[in-house]
Amino acid sequence: MIPFLDLKGINAQYRNELIEAATQVIDSGWYVQGTHVKAFEHEFADYCGTKHCIGVANGLDALILVLRAWKELGRLKEGDEVIVPANTYIASILAITENRLKPILVEPDEHTYNLAPGLIEQAITANTKAILAVHLYGQLAPMPEIMAMAKKHNLLVLEDSAQAHGAQIDGKKAGNWGDASGFSFYPGKNLGALGDAGAVTTNDDALAQTIRALGNYGSHKKYENLYLGVNSRLDEMQAALLRVKLKHLDQETKRRQQIAAMYCEGINNPSIALPIQDSKLNIKHCASHVWHLFVIRTTEREKLQTYLTEQGIQTLIHYPIAPHHQKAYQAWSNQSYPITEAIHNQVLSLPISPVMPINDCEKVISALNEWCLDD
């Protein structure tokens, strides 16, 4: 079976380095908020090009804490509207509702799956205070246009960069476009820990200080609590392991781009729609898309997935149920988002990873080209 994602193989490349990093933490006797957390925060901020990185427990907490901090700073209040793509993973929306803010679901561009500036503009009201721009599947949302729109309407911009470590437009990376960005280091991400982990990046001093306190029981100084905070801190062990893997991230991204280029050039089945990149990006060489996922579309997804399984190829669906059809948000069940619904009904994610053998990639291409819609 060709695996969808070979996590064991990815981490095996750095086994000795990871063991050495873990040993350093064990031998240090310091397991929370230690030197590896501080070092990783500095290194990841430098990688993203931002002034600050604040390590947190996971990617959802990263988004929640940014919105919460904006409320503490008086930049948001309960009931304010936050524009968010309707086709995102539910975590993006959970972060909004957890803060008692109002998500305004907006249809994506049907080709890139990211927010479309024209549709954002149509959704802005007097109550709109922020845009949560999700960089879905590894491609940046159209951030130059989004930032210009945000400036025009005096809106905050939060990037959900959970799938876009290192993605860029004109050399400016995910995490350095908006007023803040949330990252996930869940093991399956392009930069993945060996457990849960996350971070916020920002260039805003006051925001960084507030988030750091909120995630540490609301405390900026031991036993002094400014806020009703939570415990959401990047673990020292995960920080040490992430420092190892960050050194190899760009090399792994190049491998993902190589595989994506092979898929784009090799798959020619007219019943399968390939990913389309923003026209401003280097489409031919897949230069700015980091390909967290390689997502195709077909009207006969179940048939294609069954066929690929029979061919020994594992695939996944990201995501089978749209957020407005989830029971958690059943109050939205009567709303209609036809583009989003079509995407959720048709998408299928192909195997892609930095350790995927080229011959496996070729087998996937051959299987897809031999598939007949009428079979």
Side-chain angles (χ1 to χ4, degrees), residues 162-197:
Q163 300 184 2
H165 312 75
Q168 56 186 279
I169 296 176
D170 297 330
K172 191 172 184 178
K173 290 180 179 175
N176 194 25
W177 280 95
D179 298 285
S181 178
F183 284 88
S184 168
F185 304 122
Y186 182 77
K189 303 300 185 185
N190 288 28
L191 178 60
L194 274 70
D196 270 324

Side-chain angles (χ1 to χ4, degrees), residues 13-305:
Q13 302 173 100
Y14 319 121
R15 177 181 174 84
N16 291 339
E17 292 178 79
L18 292 169
I19 290 174
E20 172 58 26
T23 301
Q24 288 177 15
V25 175
I26 293 168
D27 291 347
S28 73
W30 193 294
Y31 308 121
V32 178
Q33 299 290 82
T35 58
H36 282 287
V37 169
K38 293 182 178 65
F40 175 75
E41 289 178 336
H42 175 79
E43 290 159 7
F44 193 66
D46 185 65
Y47 179 81
C48 295
T50 58
K51 188 173 181 181
H52 301 283
C53 169
I54 306 97
V56 297
N58 55 68
L60 175 57
D61 279 5
L63 299 177
I64 289 173
L65 287 170
V66 172
L67 295 171
R68 169 76 188 281
W70 279 335
K71 289 176 68 179
E72 295 289 352
L73 291 167
R75 300 175 193 176
L76 292 176
K77 65 180 185 306
E78 284 190 20
D80 283 346
E81 295 177 355
V82 180
I83 288 173
V84 63
N87 64 312
T88 186
Y89 181 57
I90 199 170
S92 310
I93 300 170
L94 287 171
I96 299 171
T97 55
E98 176 68 16
N99 279 286
R100 298 185 180 180
L101 302 167
K102 184 178 180 181
I104 301 300
L105 306 186
V106 173
E107 290 269 57
D109 181 297
E110 63 181 323
H111 301 297
T112 66
Y113 310 123
N114 282 328
L115 282 171
L119 296 179
I120 296 174
E121 187 89 47
Q122 293 174 25
I124 294 174
T125 72
N127 296 319
T128 306
K129 301 301 178 184
I131 300 171
L132 203 169
V134 181
H135 306 316
L136 203 61
Y137 305 150
Q139 177 173 210
L140 283 181
M143 294 309 296
E145 293 88 346
I146 289 174
M147 295 309 298
M149 193 178 306
K151 183 177 181 181
K152 175 183 174 183
H153 295 280
N154 193 30
L155 305 177
L156 295 163
V157 176
L158 171 57
E159 299 173 70
D160 183 339
S161 301
Q163 300 184 2
H165 312 75
Q168 56 186 279
I169 296 176
D170 297 330
K172 191 172 184 178
K173 290 180 179 175
N176 194 25
W177 280 95
D179 298 285
S181 178
F183 284 88
S184 168
F185 304 122
Y186 182 77
K189 303 300 185 185
N190 288 28
L191 178 60
L194 274 70
D196 270 324
V200 174
T201 57
T202 184
N203 293 305
D204 184 328
D205 294 346
L207 181 65
Q209 183 179 29
T210 305
I211 291 170
R212 195 173 291 283
L214 283 171
N216 187 39
Y217 300 97
S219 174
H220 69 300
K221 183 178 180 182
K222 195 167 185 179
Y223 301 128
E224 294 183 16
N225 301 79
L226 292 172
Y227 312 106
L228 300 175
V230 297
N231 179 4
S232 181
R233 302 176 297 204
L234 176 61
D235 184 79
E236 180 75 0
M237 182 67 76
Q238 297 302 336
L241 303 177
L242 284 166
R243 293 185 68 197
V244 171
K245 298 189 72 176
L246 180 59
K247 293 185 295 183
H248 303 283
L249 177 58
D250 286 346
Q251 176 185 336
E252 290 196 355
T253 297
K254 288 179 182 178
R255 179 65 171 194
R256 288 177 177 272
Q257 291 169 341
Q258 179 187 11
I259 293 167
M262 289 183 64
Y263 280 155
C264 288
E265 293 166 7
I267 300 169
N268 53 31
N269 190 321
S271 299
I272 295 171
L274 295 172
I276 296 176
Q277 294 190 82
D278 190 296
S279 61
K280 296 179 182 63
L281 303 182
N282 185 335
I283 295 173
K284 184 177 179 181
H285 296 104
C286 307
S288 299
H289 195 316
V290 298
W291 301 102
H292 172 61
L293 299 170
F294 191 95
V295 180
I296 60 174
R297 286 175 67 181
T298 178
T299 57
E300 296 290 342
R301 178 176 66 194
E302 185 176 348
K303 288 183 179 179
L304 177 55
Q305 188 171 39

